[in-house]
Amino acid sequence: MAYRETTQIRQRKQATQENILSNALTLLNEVGFSGLQMASLAKRCNLATGTLYRYFANKEALCTAVFEHATNIEVIQVQRQLSAPEKPIPERIANALTTFAKRALRAPVTAWALIAEPVEPAVIAARLKYRERYADLFAQAIEHGISEQSLPPQNSALSSRALVGAIAEALIGPLAHQHELEPNSAILESVRFCLQAITARPHSCV
């Protein structure tokens, strides 16, 4: 007779995996992907290292899962700003970009790890996938703005990728503490640049 997991066992496994990812995210904010080690994470989770390997076959698999877990949190924040029904589309886009950037600067080690830290191929692939996910969200907002005439006609797919690339690249300097602008000023200037690009008119960010 084939073995079948009980509901209780599945719930216990899910709770263990959630505990691992939560602790891994905390550790990521301290040491980045390069310092995220299986043994130290297992100790923090009060697990045997062998148990951790039952959930993640190697460090690359762990880092990929942590990346996806952390980035999903950020995607939800961006989506929330873009979905605010009471605000015009350009303001929603500005708020989404500003929220993304401010959250990054509040957790600079994690943000650097997610955006720019040299990583294993599987994490690079996940990074590219999530860039597309961000771009899709902005493309939908841009298309809405075009339809309601708050944005001029443009290629929404191209514009959205440009927005995502611009805000990510603009954050690399402040996150690496190699930027001549004060972080909040860097955010304002970056968001202003993005909004002027998609609205084709001067934009003031407060």
Side-chain angles (χ1 to χ4, degrees), residues 53-66:
Y53 277 102
R54 288 208 295 270
Y55 287 86
F56 302 100
N58 50 46
K59 181 180 175 180
E60 186 172 6
L62 171 66
C63 289
T64 303
V66 174

Side-chain angles (χ1 to χ4, degrees), residues 151-165:
L151 292 176
Q154 58 195 283
N155 184 318
S156 60
L158 184 60
S159 295
S160 65
R161 289 187 178 92
L163 289 183
V164 173

Side-chain angles (χ1 to χ4, degrees), residues 131-132 134-136 138-140 142-143 146 153-166 193-194 197-198:
R131 278 207 172 196
E132 283 299 307
Y134 281 121
D136 286 345
F138 282 108
Q140 291 171 25
I142 291 169
E143 288 168 6
I146 294 169
Q154 58 195 283
N155 184 318
S156 60
L158 184 60
S159 295
S160 65
R161 289 187 178 92
L163 289 183
V164 173
F193 171 83
C194 290
I198 62 170

Side-chain angles (χ1 to χ4, degrees), residues 19 21 49 64 69 79 85 87-89 123 132 164 168 179 187:
N19 179 48
L21 290 174
T49 304
T64 303
H69 176 68
Q79 192 169 25
K87 296 177 181 177
I89 292 296
V123 185
E132 283 299 307
V164 173
H179 204 284
I187 291 173

Side-chain angles (χ1 to χ4, degrees), residues 30-182:
E30 297 170 5
V31 297
F33 283 122
S34 62
L36 187 58
Q37 301 299 325
M38 302 289 275
S40 58
L41 175 60
K43 183 177 181 181
R44 184 173 290 222
C45 295
N46 294 316
L47 295 172
T49 304
T51 301
L52 187 58
Y53 277 102
R54 288 208 295 270
Y55 287 86
F56 302 100
N58 50 46
K59 181 180 175 180
E60 186 172 6
L62 171 66
C63 289
T64 303
V66 174
F67 176 90
E68 292 174 343
H69 176 68
T71 306
N72 271 325
I73 295 171
E74 302 310 314
V75 167
I76 289 169
Q77 296 300 319
V78 167
Q79 192 169 25
R80 183 172 295 149
Q81 295 298 326
L82 291 175
S83 301
E86 71 281 1
K87 296 177 181 177
I89 292 296
E91 185 177 346
R92 295 189 209 179
I93 292 173
N95 289 345
L97 293 169
T98 301
T99 296
F100 177 85
K102 286 186 173 181
R103 287 176 61 83
L105 293 180
R106 283 201 296 267
V109 178
T110 295
W112 174 261
L114 299 180
I115 294 171
E117 183 180 349
V119 288
E120 297 295 328
V123 185
I124 292 174
R127 190 179 275 166
L128 293 173
K129 181 182 76 173
Y130 274 89
R131 278 207 172 196
E132 283 299 307
R133 188 168 169 190
Y134 281 121
D136 286 345
L137 291 174
F138 282 108
Q140 291 171 25
I142 291 169
E143 288 168 6
H144 189 180
I146 294 169
S147 68
E148 70 177 21
Q149 298 185 335
S150 61
L151 292 176
Q154 58 195 283
N155 184 318
S156 60
L158 184 60
S159 295
S160 65
R161 289 187 178 92
L163 289 183
V164 173
I167 199 67
E169 289 296 321
L171 284 170
I172 288 176
L175 290 173
H177 307 292
Q178 296 175 351
H179 204 284
E180 59 193 33
L181 284 177
E182 185 270 333

